[in-house]
Amino acid sequence: MFEKSIYVRRRKALMDKMSAGAAEGRRGIALFIGNAEAPAQYKDNCYKFRQDSTWLYYFGIDEPLFAAVLDLDEGTETVFADDVEIGDIIWMGPQPSVSSRAESAGISSSAPYNALDGVVSKALASGRPVHFIKPTRYYNKIKLASLLGCRPEEVDGKYSEALTKAIISMRLVKEACEIEQIDDACALGYEMHTVARNNVRVGIIEQEIVGAMVGVTLGKGWGESFPTILTQHGETLHNHKHDKIVEPGKLMVIDAGAENNMHYASDFTRTIPTGGKFTSKQRDIYQIVCDCNNLALELIRPGITYREVHLRTMHLMLDELRALDIVRGNLDNMVAAGVAGLFMPHGLGHNMGMDVHDMEDLGEDLVGYDDDQKRSDQLGLGSLRMARKLVPGNVITDEPGIYFIPALIEKWKSEKADHGFVNYQRLESYYDFGGIRLEDDVLVTEDGSRLTGPARLPINPDDVEAAMER
């Protein structure tokens, strides 16, 4: 946990935001449900516990079956959980009391977990608003349904947009203590990727490389921040299969991140030649992606929208693909027509913090788009998860890629979706190429941006090849 004053200040700021503009006497309560353990095969054999990130942000208590209520009218705070009994102590040993855990977060009032039912029932009976965010875990949805007296499938429709927006506005801008934790997670991610690169050799099974990577994250942190993507088929954007033998002449996409013990994340991607050297064809495409990554990094600063960064990066990508005669025509017209989506069918990046796709459980558009922005329906641009005007304290990923996906290319060709800009005859020679993605994590500063973590993973092609010489 952070020092308790941090949690006190955060909750105070949240209550102030919820009170601003609310009708007198109608502010209500804000309800927070922490995660419960989830059985894997049977009740006592559970998946590894991961606490809800919003709960951690405001309360910091990293234990299952906790809840809390902030009374927005009275300004009171109560934590709800049960103290352990002798049966628990036999298996778990003595545990801190609920009251002491609440005090560690700066809250003096606590009550048993089932007392939450009466607090919510009383608020509903008196017509007071009960604010909560959309739950992602089934337990939380069922618990909320029980508290609200509705069916689980009705819970999402009753969520509080006011509370959700207030939380997003706070978590989007990282505090100094959070930036320190993200830098720490990125240092762990750097080590994770270095171990991966050093283990790539022809003849090894991909799973062995992934095992070494995960060992780093478990030895020094909480584990992976998301399931590792390591594949010689980079044209499949989220390929989680690791059963292939490493072959010569392939490109290995490694998209992986670490979560540190404070539950902050890193998220890096590098693409390396399995044999240690790029072919000339691979180097040509790799250099384009590298140039796009570096351009985005140069553009990131306060005041620019990440949508603009995405579009300007796509302009450069298409310009360099045009130099290879893969596309032809006017660049501005190609960008406007969405031709870049054929080669990069995802957005340039997303928010990052306590979750690797930070807060997307709260609503992707609410998190990633300003009120005056509308999501595009184009392939690629339409998948941009972060489009907002950047402000100091934002932490975002910079992850351009180029992928040659035969099924997608054939679909565009048959539907003439490229508006005549694509040279399909030239493109056919790339059907067995795969894909390339290069990703860094970036902090928006007062006067520009900086990479997070202590060092940058090798990214320029010469540096990648030099790093692979062992």
mmCIF file with all atom_site columns, all heavy atoms in Angstrom, residues 63-76:
data_model
loop_
_atom_site.group_PDB
_atom_site.id
_atom_site.type_symbol
_atom_site.label_atom_id
_atom_site.label_alt_id
_atom_site.label_comp_id
_atom_site.label_asym_id
_atom_site.label_entity_id
_atom_site.label_seq_id
_atom_site.pdbx_PDB_ins_code
_atom_site.Cartn_x
_atom_site.Cartn_y
_atom_site.Cartn_z
_atom_site.occupancy
_atom_site.B_iso_or_equiv
_atom_site.pdbx_formal_charge
_atom_site.auth_seq_id
_atom_site.auth_comp_id
_atom_site.auth_asym_id
_atom_site.auth_atom_id
_atom_site.pdbx_PDB_model_num
ATOM 1   N N   . GLU A 1 63 ? -6.943  -7.601  -0.254 1.00 0.00 ? 63 GLU A N   1
ATOM 2   C CA  . GLU A 1 63 ? -7.498  -8.825  0.308  1.00 0.00 ? 63 GLU A CA  1
ATOM 3   C C   . GLU A 1 63 ? -8.897  -9.041  -0.253 1.00 0.00 ? 63 GLU A C   1
ATOM 4   O O   . GLU A 1 63 ? -9.612  -8.078  -0.559 1.00 0.00 ? 63 GLU A O   1
ATOM 5   C CB  . GLU A 1 63 ? -7.576  -8.733  1.837  1.00 0.00 ? 63 GLU A CB  1
ATOM 6   C CG  . GLU A 1 63 ? -6.233  -8.624  2.525  1.00 0.00 ? 63 GLU A CG  1
ATOM 7   C CD  . GLU A 1 63 ? -5.404  -9.888  2.407  1.00 0.00 ? 63 GLU A CD  1
ATOM 8   O OE1 . GLU A 1 63 ? -5.992  -10.984 2.289  1.00 0.00 ? 63 GLU A OE1 1
ATOM 9   O OE2 . GLU A 1 63 ? -4.157  -9.779  2.451  1.00 0.00 ? 63 GLU A OE2 1
ATOM 10  N N   . PRO A 1 64 ? -9.336  -10.304 -0.361 1.00 0.00 ? 64 PRO A N   1
ATOM 11  C CA  . PRO A 1 64 ? -10.665 -10.574 -0.917 1.00 0.00 ? 64 PRO A CA  1
ATOM 12  C C   . PRO A 1 64 ? -11.790 -10.263 0.067  1.00 0.00 ? 64 PRO A C   1
ATOM 13  O O   . PRO A 1 64 ? -11.586 -10.181 1.280  1.00 0.00 ? 64 PRO A O   1
ATOM 14  C CB  . PRO A 1 64 ? -10.615 -12.078 -1.224 1.00 0.00 ? 64 PRO A CB  1
ATOM 15  C CG  . PRO A 1 64 ? -9.590  -12.625 -0.286 1.00 0.00 ? 64 PRO A CG  1
ATOM 16  C CD  . PRO A 1 64 ? -8.574  -11.533 -0.101 1.00 0.00 ? 64 PRO A CD  1
ATOM 17  N N   . LEU A 1 65 ? -12.976 -10.105 -0.503 1.00 0.00 ? 65 LEU A N   1
ATOM 18  C CA  . LEU A 1 65 ? -14.223 -9.910  0.247  1.00 0.00 ? 65 LEU A CA  1
ATOM 19  C C   . LEU A 1 65 ? -14.179 -8.682  1.159  1.00 0.00 ? 65 LEU A C   1
ATOM 20  O O   . LEU A 1 65 ? -14.476 -8.748  2.349  1.00 0.00 ? 65 LEU A O   1
ATOM 21  C CB  . LEU A 1 65 ? -14.578 -11.163 1.052  1.00 0.00 ? 65 LEU A CB  1
ATOM 22  C CG  . LEU A 1 65 ? -15.179 -12.316 0.230  1.00 0.00 ? 65 LEU A CG  1
ATOM 23  C CD1 . LEU A 1 65 ? -15.447 -13.527 1.102  1.00 0.00 ? 65 LEU A CD1 1
ATOM 24  C CD2 . LEU A 1 65 ? -16.454 -11.885 -0.477 1.00 0.00 ? 65 LEU A CD2 1
ATOM 25  N N   . PHE A 1 66 ? -13.817 -7.566  0.559  1.00 0.00 ? 66 PHE A N   1
ATOM 26  C CA  . PHE A 1 66 ? -13.918 -6.264  1.202  1.00 0.00 ? 66 PHE A CA  1
ATOM 27  C C   . PHE A 1 66 ? -14.863 -5.401  0.381  1.00 0.00 ? 66 PHE A C   1
ATOM 28  O O   . PHE A 1 66 ? -14.975 -5.551  -0.841 1.00 0.00 ? 66 PHE A O   1
ATOM 29  C CB  . PHE A 1 66 ? -12.554 -5.575  1.294  1.00 0.00 ? 66 PHE A CB  1
ATOM 30  C CG  . PHE A 1 66 ? -11.793 -5.893  2.539  1.00 0.00 ? 66 PHE A CG  1
ATOM 31  C CD1 . PHE A 1 66 ? -11.212 -7.156  2.707  1.00 0.00 ? 66 PHE A CD1 1
ATOM 32  C CD2 . PHE A 1 66 ? -11.641 -4.957  3.551  1.00 0.00 ? 66 PHE A CD2 1
ATOM 33  C CE1 . PHE A 1 66 ? -10.506 -7.464  3.850  1.00 0.00 ? 66 PHE A CE1 1
ATOM 34  C CE2 . PHE A 1 66 ? -10.937 -5.255  4.706  1.00 0.00 ? 66 PHE A CE2 1
ATOM 35  C CZ  . PHE A 1 66 ? -10.363 -6.506  4.858  1.00 0.00 ? 66 PHE A CZ  1
ATOM 36  N N   . ALA A 1 67 ? -15.554 -4.505  1.046  1.00 0.00 ? 67 ALA A N   1
ATOM 37  C CA  . ALA A 1 67 ? -16.417 -3.529  0.380  1.00 0.00 ? 67 ALA A CA  1
ATOM 38  C C   . ALA A 1 67 ? -16.339 -2.236  1.177  1.00 0.00 ? 67 ALA A C   1
ATOM 39  O O   . ALA A 1 67 ? -15.824 -2.205  2.308  1.00 0.00 ? 67 ALA A O   1
ATOM 40  C CB  . ALA A 1 67 ? -17.855 -4.032  0.292  1.00 0.00 ? 67 ALA A CB  1
ATOM 41  N N   . ALA A 1 68 ? -16.848 -1.169  0.592  1.00 0.00 ? 68 ALA A N   1
ATOM 42  C CA  . ALA A 1 68 ? -16.839 0.119   1.289  1.00 0.00 ? 68 ALA A CA  1
ATOM 43  C C   . ALA A 1 68 ? -17.972 0.990   0.777  1.00 0.00 ? 68 ALA A C   1
ATOM 44  O O   . ALA A 1 68 ? -18.438 0.830   -0.363 1.00 0.00 ? 68 ALA A O   1
ATOM 45  C CB  . ALA A 1 68 ? -15.501 0.831   1.097  1.00 0.00 ? 68 ALA A CB  1
ATOM 46  N N   . VAL A 1 69 ? -18.399 1.902   1.639  1.00 0.00 ? 69 VAL A N   1
ATOM 47  C CA  . VAL A 1 69 ? -19.408 2.894   1.275  1.00 0.00 ? 69 VAL A CA  1
ATOM 48  C C   . VAL A 1 69 ? -18.891 4.270   1.660  1.00 0.00 ? 69 VAL A C   1
ATOM 49  O O   . VAL A 1 69 ? -18.441 4.486   2.799  1.00 0.00 ? 69 VAL A O   1
ATOM 50  C CB  . VAL A 1 69 ? -20.754 2.621   1.979  1.00 0.00 ? 69 VAL A CB  1
ATOM 51  C CG1 . VAL A 1 69 ? -21.683 3.833   1.854  1.00 0.00 ? 69 VAL A CG1 1
ATOM 52  C CG2 . VAL A 1 69 ? -21.419 1.383   1.393  1.00 0.00 ? 69 VAL A CG2 1
ATOM 53  N N   . LEU A 1 70 ? -18.943 5.195   0.698  1.00 0.00 ? 70 LEU A N   1
ATOM 54  C CA  . LEU A 1 70 ? -18.682 6.599   0.975  1.00 0.00 ? 70 LEU A CA  1
ATOM 55  C C   . LEU A 1 70 ? -20.038 7.306   0.981  1.00 0.00 ? 70 LEU A C   1
ATOM 56  O O   . LEU A 1 70 ? -20.748 7.285   -0.023 1.00 0.00 ? 70 LEU A O   1
ATOM 57  C CB  . LEU A 1 70 ? -17.784 7.217   -0.100 1.00 0.00 ? 70 LEU A CB  1
ATOM 58  C CG  . LEU A 1 70 ? -16.450 6.524   -0.398 1.00 0.00 ? 70 LEU A CG  1
ATOM 59  C CD1 . LEU A 1 70 ? -15.665 7.333   -1.424 1.00 0.00 ? 70 LEU A CD1 1
ATOM 60  C CD2 . LEU A 1 70 ? -15.641 6.306   0.867  1.00 0.00 ? 70 LEU A CD2 1
ATOM 61  N N   . ASP A 1 71 ? -20.400 7.888   2.116  1.00 0.00 ? 71 ASP A N   1
ATOM 62  C CA  . ASP A 1 71 ? -21.655 8.638   2.199  1.00 0.00 ? 71 ASP A CA  1
ATOM 63  C C   . ASP A 1 71 ? -21.378 10.048  1.690  1.00 0.00 ? 71 ASP A C   1
ATOM 64  O O   . ASP A 1 71 ? -20.681 10.834  2.336  1.00 0.00 ? 71 ASP A O   1
ATOM 65  C CB  . ASP A 1 71 ? -22.172 8.678   3.636  1.00 0.00 ? 71 ASP A CB  1
ATOM 66  C CG  . ASP A 1 71 ? -23.601 9.190   3.707  1.00 0.00 ? 71 ASP A CG  1
ATOM 67  O OD1 . ASP A 1 71 ? -23.867 10.285  3.162  1.00 0.00 ? 71 ASP A OD1 1
ATOM 68  O OD2 . ASP A 1 71 ? -24.444 8.509   4.321  1.00 0.00 ? 71 ASP A OD2 1
ATOM 69  N N   . LEU A 1 72 ? -21.914 10.361  0.523  1.00 0.00 ? 72 LEU A N   1
ATOM 70  C CA  . LEU A 1 72 ? -21.600 11.624  -0.141 1.00 0.00 ? 72 LEU A CA  1
ATOM 71  C C   . LEU A 1 72 ? -22.302 12.815  0.503  1.00 0.00 ? 72 LEU A C   1
ATOM 72  O O   . LEU A 1 72 ? -21.929 13.962  0.255  1.00 0.00 ? 72 LEU A O   1
ATOM 73  C CB  . LEU A 1 72 ? -21.978 11.536  -1.618 1.00 0.00 ? 72 LEU A CB  1
ATOM 74  C CG  . LEU A 1 72 ? -21.306 10.394  -2.403 1.00 0.00 ? 72 LEU A CG  1
ATOM 75  C CD1 . LEU A 1 72 ? -21.837 10.342  -3.830 1.00 0.00 ? 72 LEU A CD1 1
ATOM 76  C CD2 . LEU A 1 72 ? -19.796 10.528  -2.398 1.00 0.00 ? 72 LEU A CD2 1
ATOM 77  N N   . ASP A 1 73 ? -23.305 12.550  1.321  1.00 0.00 ? 73 ASP A N   1
ATOM 78  C CA  . ASP A 1 73 ? -24.010 13.625  2.022  1.00 0.00 ? 73 ASP A CA  1
ATOM 79  C C   . ASP A 1 73 ? -23.383 13.906  3.383  1.00 0.00 ? 73 ASP A C   1
ATOM 80  O O   . ASP A 1 73 ? -23.174 15.060  3.762  1.00 0.00 ? 73 ASP A O   1
ATOM 81  C CB  . ASP A 1 73 ? -25.492 13.268  2.194  1.00 0.00 ? 73 ASP A CB  1
ATOM 82  C CG  . ASP A 1 73 ? -26.185 13.097  0.853  1.00 0.00 ? 73 ASP A CG  1
ATOM 83  O OD1 . ASP A 1 73 ? -26.130 14.036  0.047  1.00 0.00 ? 73 ASP A OD1 1
ATOM 84  O OD2 . ASP A 1 73 ? -26.750 12.022  0.619  1.00 0.00 ? 73 ASP A OD2 1
ATOM 85  N N   . GLU A 1 74 ? -23.056 12.851  4.106  1.00 0.00 ? 74 GLU A N   1
ATOM 86  C CA  . GLU A 1 74 ? -22.518 13.017  5.456  1.00 0.00 ? 74 GLU A CA  1
ATOM 87  C C   . GLU A 1 74 ? -20.996 13.057  5.488  1.00 0.00 ? 74 GLU A C   1
ATOM 88  O O   . GLU A 1 74 ? -20.393 13.430  6.499  1.00 0.00 ? 74 GLU A O   1
ATOM 89  C CB  . GLU A 1 74 ? -23.027 11.890  6.351  1.00 0.00 ? 74 GLU A CB  1
ATOM 90  C CG  . GLU A 1 74 ? -24.551 11.877  6.496  1.00 0.00 ? 74 GLU A CG  1
ATOM 91  C CD  . GLU A 1 74 ? -25.027 10.744  7.385  1.00 0.00 ? 74 GLU A CD  1
ATOM 92  O OE1 . GLU A 1 74 ? -24.154 10.034  7.958  1.00 0.00 ? 74 GLU A OE1 1
ATOM 93  O OE2 . GLU A 1 74 ? -26.251 10.565  7.514  1.00 0.00 ? 74 GLU A OE2 1
ATOM 94  N N   . GLY A 1 75 ? -20.361 12.629  4.380  1.00 0.00 ? 75 GLY A N   1
ATOM 95  C CA  . GLY A 1 75 ? -18.908 12.632  4.330  1.00 0.00 ? 75 GLY A CA  1
ATOM 96  C C   . GLY A 1 75 ? -18.259 11.513  5.117  1.00 0.00 ? 75 GLY A C   1
ATOM 97  O O   . GLY A 1 75 ? -17.061 11.565  5.413  1.00 0.00 ? 75 GLY A O   1
ATOM 98  N N   . THR A 1 76 ? -19.024 10.472  5.461  1.00 0.00 ? 76 THR A N   1
ATOM 99  C CA  . THR A 1 76 ? -18.486 9.355   6.241  1.00 0.00 ? 76 THR A CA  1
ATOM 100 C C   . THR A 1 76 ? -18.006 8.243   5.324  1.00 0.00 ? 76 THR A C   1
ATOM 101 O O   . THR A 1 76 ? -18.423 8.122   4.171  1.00 0.00 ? 76 THR A O   1
ATOM 102 C CB  . THR A 1 76 ? -19.547 8.811   7.205  1.00 0.00 ? 76 THR A CB  1
ATOM 103 O OG1 . THR A 1 76 ? -20.696 8.397   6.462  1.00 0.00 ? 76 THR A OG1 1
ATOM 104 C CG2 . THR A 1 76 ? -19.940 9.882   8.216  1.00 0.00 ? 76 THR A CG2 1
#
